Amino acid sequence: MRIPLSWLREYAPLPEGASAEYLMETLVRVGLEEEDVHRPSDDISGPVVVGQVLTMEPEEHSNGKTVNWCTVRVVPEGQEQTLTGEGIDPSGIQGIVCGAHNFAPGDKVVVTLPGAVLPGNFAIAARKTYGHVSAGMIASVRELGIGDDHDGILVLSTLGLDPEIGSDALALLGLDDEAAEINVTPDRGYAFSIRGVAREYCHAVNEEFVDPAADLAERAPAANGSGQPVRIRDDAPIHDRQGATRFVARTVSGVDPEAPTPTWMSSRLRLAGIRSISLPVDISNYVMLEYGQPLHFYDADRLTGAIEVRRAHAGETLMTLDGKERSLDPDDLLITDETGPIGLAGVMGGASTEVTASTRRILVEAARFEEVSIARTRRRHRLPSEASKRFERGVDPLVAAAAAERAVELLEELAGGTAEEGVTDVFDHYYAHEIHCAVDYPSKRIGMEIAESDVIKILQDIGATVVRTGDVLQVTVPSWRPDLLEPEDLAEEVARLSGYEKIPSTLPVPLNLIEKSF
């Protein structure tokens, strides 16, 4: 899990100027393993600024190539150029040769000035080419290391941006951010989210954690009878456990799926290891990373009748979003409508209801699927996904409504949509797991005396409800911790948050010495 620091800072009290190394060192205290640091500024540096194209003159050359001789303002009009160096024009207007043609005078672009270094150790300098001295480069997303498109330069208005001329383009594009990567073990799936990591960071620095899902859950409207009809019919439950235990559905109409993804979102997704694709896809991925709840978006107008969650029938097939026709197994859990399968539950959606450029109504799905069922389907079809990775480790059954609300709000804010009144929430009940544990059990198990008040506080800090009756603690496990099953698990939590380094080391006494003492 990669954690962009700017994102985590919204939910946890990171110190000003904290680095990815600091974050990993802090999270190690609570048992999260450090993996790597991702810092775009290690690959790109120097003067990279916002410029405005003033003129562009196409010139055809003997090699058959047409290039544009451009003048680009990189300092606001009336201000002096403060940068110095070979190739930097004191007037603030640079002459640049550019082979791309997807821009026009007046456009604001990213200009890499002489002295800048781009990914691949590509140094920018003033050089003579096509009969001109080109003092800089107008950059594409590939040259900046933020995408694969190399057909044209990056025009900032296509991102919905209108920044000040001369401003720092690295900060504008989120290239001054950094991320810490941690290894999330299979038993701690809640840490596959910014929400979960923020909670762990607060444990590590002894700060109170404020759960962002709580406020969203309060804002989320209650289920009513006018939402998308959904039925859960699981005829072949795995190990007597229902394949789907919750299904929240919300519809947003009037969306513009081609609206640009804001830079703050695309840069965080990129730093988290996920490529920006389109605004609807980016929103679903963003919420998944933020809250640990995978989402799926359907073109609501391409759905036929009620949605049904069921096992596959013999001979059924599904064209998944990756363009492959898949033969389904009777053990596969499906999302279907009256036309048949429209998705592999918790793994990948189907092509027939995919959100496209013509989509105007989006149905948001926030569901919870059983771990074993999703793992078997993923392995059977050799189809790993960020969604299945989380479902296999256990998704908080109580966060679905909050995550759906977050997605709806982003679709309204960024895609111009309007939430429809209908709300569906198929969810019978959540039975919280209870563990009974002697008050002194953690101390005995760990081999170190821990005050009873500290034991109770630690368990409450991880989100558990604790009731003491005599010498026994009745601990109600939080919904996001399905790994806590036995008193031993509680003892481990107490040891982890007390600090493993505080546990004394005691050498075992050889058996022959014990016998001699009698």
Side-chain angles (χ1 to χ4, degrees):
M1 173 71 185
R2 295 185 186 183
I3 310 128
L5 268 61
S6 66
W7 200 349
L8 184 65
R9 191 169 276 113
E10 292 186 3
Y11 303 114
L14 261 68
E16 189 69 28
S19 66
E21 288 86 353
Y22 159 81
L23 178 58
M24 290 194 298
E25 179 184 343
T26 304
L27 293 176
V28 163
R29 298 181 207 164
V30 289
L32 292 172
E33 301 174 8
E34 57 185 301
E35 285 285 324
D36 203 356
V37 170
H38 300 270
R39 188 178 288 117
S41 59
D42 289 343
D43 298 319
I44 182 169
S45 61
V48 182
V49 301
V50 173
Q52 185 171 39
V53 179
L54 300 179
T55 64
M56 55 185 297
E57 300 174 11
E59 298 177 350
E60 187 173 348
H61 291 266
S62 58
N63 62 1
K65 184 175 182 179
T66 299
V67 300
N68 293 298
W69 169 238
C70 307
T71 57
V72 185
R73 181 179 294 282
V74 295
V75 173
E77 192 170 2
Q79 293 187 20
E80 293 184 0
Q81 172 65 275
T82 58
L83 297 173
T84 59
E86 185 178 353
I88 302 291
D89 194 306
S91 71
I93 299 176
Q94 299 290 120
I96 298 174
V97 172
C98 183
H101 305 281
N102 65 316
F103 63 103
D107 284 341
K108 290 184 177 179
V109 294
V110 176
V111 180
T112 58
L113 295 172
V117 179
L118 298 183
N121 200 29
F122 178 42
I124 303 299
R127 63 190 183 92
K128 189 170 182 179
T129 181
Y130 291 104
H132 301 279
V133 175
S134 182
M137 185 174 72
I138 305 174
S140 70
V141 293
R142 180 182 292 180
E143 289 158 342
L144 293 168
I146 60 175
D148 298 325
D149 183 14
H150 195 55
D151 293 333
I153 56 94
L154 172 60
V155 178
L156 294 172
S157 62
T158 63
L159 302 180
L161 299 174
D162 185 20
E164 181 182 357
I165 296 171
S167 57
D168 184 355
L170 298 183
L172 178 71
L173 299 173
L175 293 170
D176 59 344
D177 199 0
E178 55 188 290
E181 184 175 358
I182 59 171
N183 177 42
V184 179
T185 54
D187 61 330
R188 300 178 72 179
Y190 66 94
F192 260 123
S193 66
I194 299 296
R195 175 197 184 207
V197 173
R199 185 187 299 276
E200 289 300 303
Y201 177 83
C202 289
H203 291 331
V205 298
N206 198 29
E207 292 280 353
E208 182 181 359
F209 173 70
V210 178
D211 191 348
D215 183 53
L216 280 169
E218 288 184 6
R219 295 203 300 269
N224 52 50
S226 58
Q228 168 69 34
V230 174
R231 298 187 295 267
I232 296 178
R233 293 182 176 174
D234 185 3
D235 298 327
I238 303 294
H239 302 308
D240 297 323
R241 296 174 67 182
Q242 188 87 359
T245 56
R246 190 173 192 183
F247 197 111
V248 174
R250 302 278 302 277
T251 303
V252 182
S253 58
V255 298
D256 177 7
E258 295 190 292
T261 298
T263 307
W264 57 264
M265 179 179 285
S266 60
S267 63
R268 286 178 176 178
L269 288 173
R270 182 175 62 250
L271 199 50
I274 293 182
R275 183 169 60 94
S276 176
I277 296 174
S278 68
L279 181 58
V281 174
D282 292 348
I283 288 174
S284 66
N285 283 330
Y286 191 84
V287 176
M288 175 185 66
L289 292 177
E290 196 166 49
Y291 290 95
Q293 169 67 62
L295 302 176
H296 187 69
F297 289 179
Y298 303 86
D299 184 325
D301 292 325
R302 298 171 73 181
L303 290 168
T304 304
I307 285 178
E308 186 169 282
V309 185
R310 61 167 173 81
R311 301 288 167 172
H313 298 154
E316 282 190 307
T317 62
L318 170 68
M319 177 72 76
T320 46
L321 287 171
D322 58 0
K324 293 183 179 180
E325 186 80 19
R326 299 183 182 275
S327 297
L328 302 175
D329 186 277
D331 203 28
D332 289 332
L333 190 68
L334 303 180
I335 310 299
T336 70
D337 66 4
E338 291 182 3
T339 66
I342 58 173
L344 275 172
V347 179
M348 185 174 284
S352 64
T353 55
E354 179 183 7
V355 173
T356 66
S358 62
T359 298
R360 292 297 174 264
R361 295 175 66 239
I362 290 178
L363 179 77
V364 177
E365 169 204 299
R368 186 181 187 289
F369 303 113
E370 198 270 330
E371 297 87 342
V372 175
S373 176
I374 300 306
R376 289 180 174 180
T377 295
R378 187 262 304 165
R379 286 196 296 269
R380 184 180 301 115
H381 293 280
R382 296 183 178 86
L383 194 57
S385 66
E386 289 293 328
S388 64
K389 183 188 299 182
R390 286 161 175 79
F391 281 124
E392 288 178 40
R393 288 163 173 79
V395 170
D396 182 356
L398 300 187
V399 80
E405 175 65 16
R406 174 68 161 150
V408 167
E409 290 179 1
L410 288 172
L411 286 169
E412 290 182 312
E413 176 187 351
L414 304 177
T418 301
E420 296 185 3
E421 291 185 4
V423 178
T424 301
D425 190 352
V426 180
F427 185 43
D428 288 337
H429 192 70
Y430 167 68
Y431 296 96
H433 183 64
E434 289 186 0
I435 302 173
H436 292 82
C437 173
V439 176
D440 60 354
Y441 177 80
S443 295
K444 291 180 177 178
R445 188 68 174 175
I446 296 167
M448 177 180 71
E449 188 63 33
I450 301 174
E452 295 176 2
S453 59
D454 289 341
V455 170
I456 293 173
K457 182 178 184 305
I458 287 172
L459 295 178
Q460 290 173 334
D461 283 348
I462 67 171
T465 301
V466 183
V467 176
R468 179 172 180 172
T469 304
D471 293 331
V472 176
L473 300 179
Q474 178 182 309
V475 181
T476 304
V477 174
S479 58
W480 56 88
R481 294 298 303 272
D483 57 308
L484 302 181
L485 300 172
E486 306 292 342
E488 289 85 352
D489 300 324
L490 300 182
E492 183 178 354
E493 288 298 291
V494 172
R496 183 172 71 89
L497 298 186
S498 294
Y500 289 127
E501 73 282 357
K502 296 179 182 177
I503 300 175
S505 299
T506 305
L507 291 175
V509 179
L511 184 61
N512 62 331
L513 293 181
I514 296 176
E515 292 173 349
K516 289 180 181 179
S517 66
F518 286 96

